Amino acid sequence: MMVVLTGGTGGAKFVQGLEQVAPAAQITTVVNTGDDLVWWGLHVSPDLDSITYAMAGLLSRERGWGVDDDTFHCLQVIGRLGAPTWFQLGDRDLAVHLMRTQLLAQGKTLTHATEMITRAFGIGSRVLPMTDAAVETRVMTPSGELSFQEYFVRERWQPEATGVKFLGAETALPAAGVLEAIHTADAVLIAPSNPITSIGPILAVPGIREELRETPAAVVAVSPIVGGAAVSGPAGKLMQSQGLPVSVEGVARAYADFLDVLIIDERDTGRASGVESLGIAVSVTKTIMQSSSDKVALAHAALTAARRVEKLPSRTAMNAER
Amino acid sequence: MMVVLTGGTGGAKFVQGLEQVAPAAQITTVVNTGDDLVWWGLHVSPDLDSITYAMAGLLSRERGWGVDDDTFHCLQVIGRLGAPTWFQLGDRDLAVHLMRTQLLAQGKTLTHATEMITRAFGIGSRVLPMTDAAVETRVMTPSGELSFQEYFVRERWQPEATGVKFLGAETALPAAGVLEAIHTADAVLIAPSNPITSIGPILAVPGIREELRETPAAVVAVSPIVGGAAVSGPAGKLMQSQGLPVSVEGVARAYADFLDVLIIDERDTGRASGVESLGIAVSVTKTIMQSSSDKVALAHAALTAARRVEKLPSRTAMNAER
């Protein structure tokens, strides 16, 4: 059994590879919901959707988000009606948001809505939101606080980020099944997602970070930083805002309290010692996923690295043995 | 100034003709909302939408409802997710329902939402819902009670209708502007819509029927029954369920307490005396609207008939003169 902690695009690619090398029934994906937003009155969960579409074979390759070959006819008309359109929802994509919004309005949890939607798409693995509570990633900038999507999509992550916070995280509970999945997994894999705003919100939900420290599972992360820069998106800028170097060492530091292995790109071989000095093993491979075989190779490397980890009995396990 | 009371398809065609013969700023349309439904979590107002799309030049000619040349991509996916799809919403059409639902969720009235949507489409005339309250047309059948859309769309009006009721009508108030518009109009035109489930709900809102009796305006209706049958839809069956003959006389009886003139089709000339015996004048013309010029001719006939009405001073007017 394995658990993947993930955000959106990079995580979706990683999960696509993993599905090729492991049975779907053995994979539980725990997904960031700090990016969620209410848009045109609908509850949109961009990262859950990217993972869902990736697993269903529907994710747009061209855009990296939304449904492949989707149309934007609703968007054109709603723009004419005066609604903002800087965050784009395709017509097919809308169906998922409509269904989720209805289920939530009926009092169902986000976990339940996600299960129902992933099943309907024929997805055999388990996809869990990090929490059923509202946790909202906010980015501080010199000209004010922005929601994550305002920062990322509307402002194209150009404003200087001076800080990040996760509103509501303190009182959020992990979604049902998250802690158990991490605790009973053979491997916990952290996708090459932004450590601050994709994995960060997951770690901010009380109990999850603690369980990552305690679990007997091997914890393996793939660095989203290659050659001193983010493979895509604002990970570098946001790591800087948190006082972390934009390097594999910075990624290792973000996860230092629970990580067993960091998988780094071949280009970063020279920086391995900085990671190892934190007590974290390093595995070197090609981490940029361009082709389908790149994805498979990276997933294979992550699982291999996890199998090689020999963990000392955790405090929990020792307690259980007493 | 003129007021049009209307339902969906037939009314939309009539209004299209009227817009060709009168300035938009002089037209107030009061629209049935008894067909409204919550669908996929959205507030859908089918008759308001048909009128809006007709006035905006967007109404699908092919279907008679929804937006011309629309796609149904959202519908395809939401069906896959298990939502019912017997009531169809196109992708462009969805924008209107999303916008209306958001405005209502923000506490705005349906009147406000309608004004905002019609303005955004560049519509120069005033479109009013009959009420801002929830009024739900229910059709009794031997196998149970149906909402109007269940009866009309899902069951294709095949079940026997044993009765009709308008849930919530007793406590509904006319939307702001409705009574004033009827009272101050030169002419009130009743579109060739179903007298029972299109015009019936409007008349069921307390105050509207009374104002039609009181107004100094000429009240002119166009018969939706031609040659002893409805031009389209279940008007005939539903009139029977109310004990009305399916004829121009039946239409006249439905409106007898306030109607000045009934416009009937040339084919019904032989039935004029049955209408006139109710104290209602008859005007004969071609009422089937196939072409654009048919619509214009019918609108012209309705306005001409209204101009010829010489009303006795109404009770209200007499009171005012005292």
Side-chain angles (χ1 to χ4, degrees), chain B residues 101-185:
Chain B
T101 304
Q102 274 184 278
L103 291 167
L104 295 177
Q106 289 162 14
K108 302 287 198 297
T109 61
L110 184 57
T111 302
H112 178 98
T114 304
E115 185 185 358
M116 185 260 155
I117 290 164
T118 52
R119 271 198 199 165
F121 280 123
I123 293 169
S125 72
R126 188 161 61 144
V127 180
L128 297 175
M130 64 191 198
T131 179
D132 287 326
V135 172
E136 193 184 352
T137 300
R138 308 285 298 177
V139 180
M140 316 298 120
T141 77
S143 52
E145 200 177 303
L146 301 174
S147 75
F148 182 74
Q149 300 299 345
E150 286 168 346
Y151 168 74
F152 183 59
V153 178
R154 195 186 69 194
E155 306 297 334
R156 296 160 197 244
W157 45 284
Q158 292 314 298
E160 186 196 343
T162 55
V164 171
K165 62 183 177 190
F166 307 115
L167 272 185
E170 321 76 53
T171 56
L173 293 174
V178 168
L179 296 184
E180 295 82 339
I182 294 172
H183 192 76
T184 58

Side-chain angles (χ1 to χ4, degrees), chain B residues 19-82:
Chain B
E19 283 193 308
Q20 302 298 312
V21 301
Q26 291 182 13
I27 305 172
T28 295
T29 311
V30 177
V31 183
N32 170 41
T33 59
D35 302 5
D36 286 18
L37 70 164
V38 175
W39 192 250
W40 305 344
L42 304 179
H43 185 110
V44 180
S45 297
D47 285 359
L48 279 171
D49 293 338
S50 290
I51 295 297
T52 300
Y53 295 148
M55 287 180 169
L58 295 172
L59 186 68
S60 168
R61 284 181 203 183
E62 192 192 329
R63 281 182 267 107
W65 54 266
V67 177
D68 195 32
D69 205 27
D70 210 351
T71 52
F72 290 86
H73 297 150
C74 179
L75 179 135
Q76 287 156 17
V77 176
I78 209 166
R80 194 170 161 186
L81 295 178

